[in-house]
Amino acid sequence: MSRSTVIGTALGLLLGIALGLFIAWELDPLEYVDTAPASLRSDFKADLVSLIAAAYAGNGDLERAKARLALLPDMNTSGYLAALAQQRLAQDFPETETRALAQLASALGEGPAPASTSMTLPPPVTLSAAQPITPPSPTTFVTEIPPELALPNATPTPLSTETPEPSFGLISRVMICDPSLTDPLVQVQVHDSDGQPVPGLEILVIWDAGQDHFFTGLKPEIGPGYGDYTLARNVTYTFQLAGSDELVTGLMVESCIDEDSPPYLGSWLLTFKQPPPP
Amino acid sequence: MKIPVFRVLVGFILGLAASLAYGWLIQPVEYVDTAPASLRIDYRTDYVIMVAEAYAGDEDLQLAEVRLAALGPMAVTDIVAEAMTYAMEHQFVPADVENLNRLSVDLRTLAPTPEIGSP
């Protein structure tokens, strides 16, 4: 092959590649059209998951929500939804979005949907027979409140996938001594009049220097009606179901002692229940 | 030195073919990190229906407008109209069309926002 042949072929190659790149980058650049949800950027996917939950809160159609979530592999588990709800709660996203995510996470968690392993959650609590150090008053432990006393003037509300009206009343306030809990918590369980757990309910937390809130249903592995809040030492808290007049006051971290272990910090379990229909 | 035109043409064709084969077969385009505006029309329509369903539940029109804005620079009323047209053409269930219609009507009560032009 002569030298001129090689040069001619190489020149042609360069021209062809140059023309191809000019067409691809300048004349007719690539446009993303007709894409599928799975190709969305991760933050857009998270927004879409949140929108699916909001739509579910609006229509209550779980099968439709599942079908929509199926378009987003790896983002359709109850664990992912609960984690996203917690993330958005911390980032001050609209409260309706957080509640909707919690409701959908709980709805998925109740069914045969696969459980997420991406979240580190505290184990379910168990009551122990350990005694608190101070104060020794028996009111520190279990205070059973008769439903007829705890729920005055309560109006029963039909429960659906939407947020029920806040007619729940406190039925028990229990101190928990569980050494497996690394942080002192206030754990809340909310049940409807049939004893079914209720997700998506907001709980207000108030103390002398500020306030915060959290929702039930953000940890569906523990229970759809479950929510918890980590307590700080030497702070006295008041808890309230959003929209309810009933306050749970005077909650603070107290110590527990076991015969076999050094003192540790205890937690509280608050149980709310909706009154039965008249 | 005389460069043969025939050789240049052969090289040109080979270069073009090689670059196209590389782009289409060896390393084809993968759609990743796309935006909602690029969704296919059926997915776009379902997106708008979800916004309408969410609006039916929370009645937050501003939030609905923000969600629709993710679908591109078109006016939000046009985005909903496009979805309604597709939904009716493909015989979506009446509840979907009703939700879209309600959202469309309510969006028209908002002050019109100018379309964002392309750069």
Side-chain angles (χ1 to χ4, degrees), chain A residues 177-192:
Chain A
C177 290
D178 182 355
S180 68
L181 293 174
T182 54
D183 295 315
L185 302 173
V186 163
Q187 302 174 315
V188 174
Q189 291 276 10
V190 182
H191 302 278
D192 65 14

Side-chain angles (χ1 to χ4, degrees), chain A residues 1 3-5 7-17 19-20 23 30-42 44 47-48 50-52 54-59 64 68 71 94 96-97 162, chain B residues 1-4 7-16 18-19 29-41 43 46-51 53-58 60 63 67 70 92-93 96 99:
Chain A
M1 188 181 289
R3 186 178 173 193
S4 63
T5 301
I7 291 174
T9 305
L11 185 63
L13 271 172
L14 287 176
L15 284 174
I17 291 170
L19 180 65
I23 292 171
L30 179 66
E31 288 182 24
Y32 292 115
V33 292
D34 293 347
T35 61
S39 68
L40 290 173
R41 208 171 62 200
S42 60
F44 289 132
D47 286 343
L48 185 57
S50 183
L51 180 57
I52 291 169
Y56 168 68
N59 63 18
R64 193 172 206 186
R68 285 166 168 162
L71 298 171
T96 50
E97 281 196 21
E162 296 177 357
Chain B
M1 181 176 64
K2 185 183 177 184
I3 297 174
R7 289 293 177 187
V8 173
L9 194 62
V10 169
F12 177 79
I13 292 170
L14 284 175
L16 197 61
S19 59
V29 171
E30 288 182 22
Y31 293 107
V32 292
D33 292 347
T34 61
S38 67
L39 287 173
R40 207 171 62 200
I41 181 65
Y43 293 128
D46 192 48
Y47 185 103
V48 180
I49 288 172
M50 283 190 276
V51 173
E53 288 172 338
Y55 173 62
D58 59 31
D60 188 339
L63 184 57
R67 285 167 167 158
F92 279 36
V93 293
D96 288 344
N99 282 332

Side-chain angles (χ1 to χ4, degrees), chain B residues 6-119:
Chain B
F6 174 72
R7 289 293 177 187
V8 173
L9 194 62
V10 169
F12 177 79
I13 292 170
L14 284 175
L16 197 61
S19 59
L20 289 177
Y22 183 81
W24 287 347
L25 300 176
I26 300 169
Q27 188 76 44
V29 171
E30 288 182 22
Y31 293 107
V32 292
D33 292 347
T34 61
S38 67
L39 287 173
R40 207 171 62 200
I41 181 65
D42 51 344
Y43 293 128
R44 278 173 69 90
T45 301
D46 192 48
Y47 185 103
V48 180
I49 288 172
M50 283 190 276
V51 173
E53 288 172 338
Y55 173 62
D58 59 31
E59 302 200 335
D60 188 339
L61 196 54
Q62 301 287 346
L63 184 57
E65 192 180 26
V66 169
R67 285 167 167 158
L68 289 172
L71 289 177
M74 290 170 63
V76 290
T77 49
D78 292 342
I79 291 172
V80 179
E82 179 192 66
M84 281 184 69
T85 303
Y86 185 88
M88 286 190 286
E89 283 176 358
H90 292 80
Q91 299 178 337
F92 279 36
V93 293
D96 288 344
V97 180
E98 285 170 17
N99 282 332
L100 288 170
N101 187 50
R102 183 179 170 225
L103 177 61
S104 176
V105 169
D106 290 355
L107 281 172
R108 290 178 199 284
T109 64
L110 290 175
T113 52
E115 290 186 26
I116 302 167
S118 300

Side-chain angles (χ1 to χ4, degrees), chain A residues 83-99:
Chain A
L84 183 61
Q86 288 179 318
Q87 182 190 49
R88 297 205 156 201
L89 180 64
Q91 293 172 343
D92 286 334
F93 274 76
E95 196 177 299
T96 50
E97 281 196 21
T98 312
R99 185 179 291 123

